[in-house]
């Protein structure tokens, strides 16, 4: 594919670092070990470490979708959206992202801390590891962005300028299509096991569900509430263990960032917890692990809510009353359940699936897929009456019990 910038390779990275003044002195490029480790869907990621142990991570946008190839061109300018997301988080929650060293807008390269020893949370969840406290940190991350980039904290002119500046149409289009449209139609990007097909058919023929997904897509496309991460799944979180045994987190990859609904970020996390919970259920993981997973949604939501309530005292405009906050939080929680459902459905039957479900043996895969789809459909259609993450978890429990006892058919009977 013709493109007007040089794509990095492990061999060219040292010279690139030498040529970039902003990166001078961060690593010794004469002893640099470079590996391309990108396992996401879009970009190249180079982790670099020199002989003294100093490191740096470079992320370069390809001019196409890596997962699909050159047949799907995609603007490398997305690196600007990611830089914006990182810069905002660096100001608001610097302890929750990798140190950010800057962006090269010509070569479409971001430079940040090499989080040596840290691992992607999804992989750790898949393997049954517990990182206590990480879910709360994610809630805090969302809360700070939600409050401090919105009309709750900023002058209205400032917000409007930021909304315009943060427009990210190509990346939003991916979400609009892949999350809200394609799973519900016959589309070449979808795939699923034959045994799951009846559940998918039931979803697609459920008029109420389709209308609610439409409402959620409409909210995603029109509710410019705050600068959101836009792709906050468990693969966008790196984790490590602290000395006291609790977990620590760094949020990465905000290239889908734009001014959108706050519930979309919370929902993305909850939808991915659902995939992890379904995996643990079909693999019959220890009760202690399943209970911990079952508490993650609460942990994220509670941390989000209490952080927003704490920040609320600093709002300059008292148009936003305490009573307004209660109403807004309740709405965000309901939105989150709906978005969680949409995100989960997509990760099971649409493009860019998740390893939580994909790496399961066939029979377990089918059951996990059915559990996720059935639970997600209920979250979407009944989010107003469910209203809380606790009630949403109860839906999962009851769907999982029925599917484990009676097989995939149970997921269809209930729809
Ligand atoms: C075509 S891009 C597929 C997905 O990769 C990213 O992680 C986003 O989730 C996007 O939807
Ligand atoms: Mg990503």
């Amino acid at each position: 594919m013709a493109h007007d910038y040089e794509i990095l390779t492990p061999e060219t990275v040292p010279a690139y670092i030498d040529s970039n003044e902003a990166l001078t002195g961060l690593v010794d490029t004469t002893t640099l070990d470079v590996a391309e480790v990108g396992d996401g869907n879009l970009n190249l990621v180079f982790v670099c470490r020199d002989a003294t142990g100093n490191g740096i991570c470079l992320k370069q946008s390809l001019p196409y979708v890596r997962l699909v190839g050159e047949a799907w061109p995609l603007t490398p300018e997305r690196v600007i959206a990611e830089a914006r997301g990182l810069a905002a988080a660096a100001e608001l929650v610097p302890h929750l992202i990798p140190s950010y060293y800057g962006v090269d807008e010509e070569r479409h390269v971001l430079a940040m801390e090499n989080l040596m020893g840290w691992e992607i949370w999804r992989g750790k969840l898949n393997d049954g590891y517990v990182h206590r406290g990480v879910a709360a940190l994610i809630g805090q991350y969302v809360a700070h962005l939600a409050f401090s980039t919105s009309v709750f904290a900023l002058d209205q002119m400032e917000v409007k300028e930021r909304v315009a500046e943060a427009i990210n149409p190509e990346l939003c289009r991916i979400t609009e299509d892949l999350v809200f449209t394609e799973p519900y139609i016959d589309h070449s990007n979808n795939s699923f096991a034959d045994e799951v097909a009846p559940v998918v058919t039931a979803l697609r023929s459920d008029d109420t569900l389709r209308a609610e997904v439409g409402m959620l897509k409409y909210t995603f496309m029109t509710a410019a509430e705050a600068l959101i991460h836009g792709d906050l799944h468990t693969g966008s979180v790196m984790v490590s263990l602290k000395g006291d045994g609790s977990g620590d987190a760094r949020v990465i990859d905000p290239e889908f960032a734009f001014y959108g609904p706050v519930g979309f970020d919370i929902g993305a996390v909850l939808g991915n917890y659902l995939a992890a919970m379904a995996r643990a259920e079909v693999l019959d993981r220890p009760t202690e692990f399943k209970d911990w997973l079952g508490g993650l949604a609460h942990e994220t939501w509670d941390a989000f809510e209490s952080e927003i309530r704490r920040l609320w005292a600093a709002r300059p405009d008292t148009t936003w009353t305490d009573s307004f906050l209660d109403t807004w939080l309740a709405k965000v929680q309901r939105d989150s359940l709906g978005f969680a459902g949409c995100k989960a459905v997509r990760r099971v039957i649409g493009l860019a699936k998740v390893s939580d479900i994909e790496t399961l043996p066939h029979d377990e895969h089918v059951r996990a897929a059915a559990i996720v789809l059935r639970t997600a459909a209920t979250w979407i259609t009944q989010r107003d009456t469910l209203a809380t993450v606790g009630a949403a978890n109860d839906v999962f429990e009851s769907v999982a019990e029925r599917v484990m006892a009676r097989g995939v058919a149970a997921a269809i009977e209930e729809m």
Side-chain angles (χ1 to χ4, degrees), residues 331-350:
K331 180 186 173 307
V332 172
Q333 191 163 191
R334 292 193 304 269
D335 282 355
S336 298
L337 303 185
F339 287 131
C342 294
K343 296 286 276 186
V345 168
R346 168 275 172 95
R347 293 297 187 191
V348 173
I349 64 177

Side-chain angles (χ1 to χ4, degrees), residues 267-283:
V269 189
L270 304 190
N272 281 267
Y273 294 162
L274 172 57
M277 286 155 65
R279 178 186 178 87
E281 191 63 42
V282 300
L283 290 179

Side-chain angles (χ1 to χ4, degrees), residues 343-365:
K343 296 286 276 186
V345 168
R346 168 275 172 95
R347 293 297 187 191
V348 173
I349 64 177
L351 188 70
K353 295 182 168 61
V354 287
S355 57
D356 319 40
I357 309 296
E358 288 304 288
T359 59
L360 291 166
H362 185 75
D363 288 354
E364 286 78 5
H365 166 86

Side-chain angles (χ1 to χ4, degrees), residues 175-185 190 210 213 217:
T175 303
E176 290 153 16
D177 290 346
L178 270 57
V179 174
F180 297 107
T181 298
E182 291 174 8
Y184 305 94
I185 58 175
N190 299 323
R210 298 286 298 274
V213 171
K217 179 173 182 174

Side-chain angles (χ1 to χ4, degrees), residues 40-43 59 229 231 233 235-236 252-256:
N41 301 317
L42 299 176
N43 308 294
K59 179 170 173 183
H229 179 286
D231 196 25
H233 52 80
S236 295
I252 59 172
D253 279 4
E255 69 204 299
F256 284 75

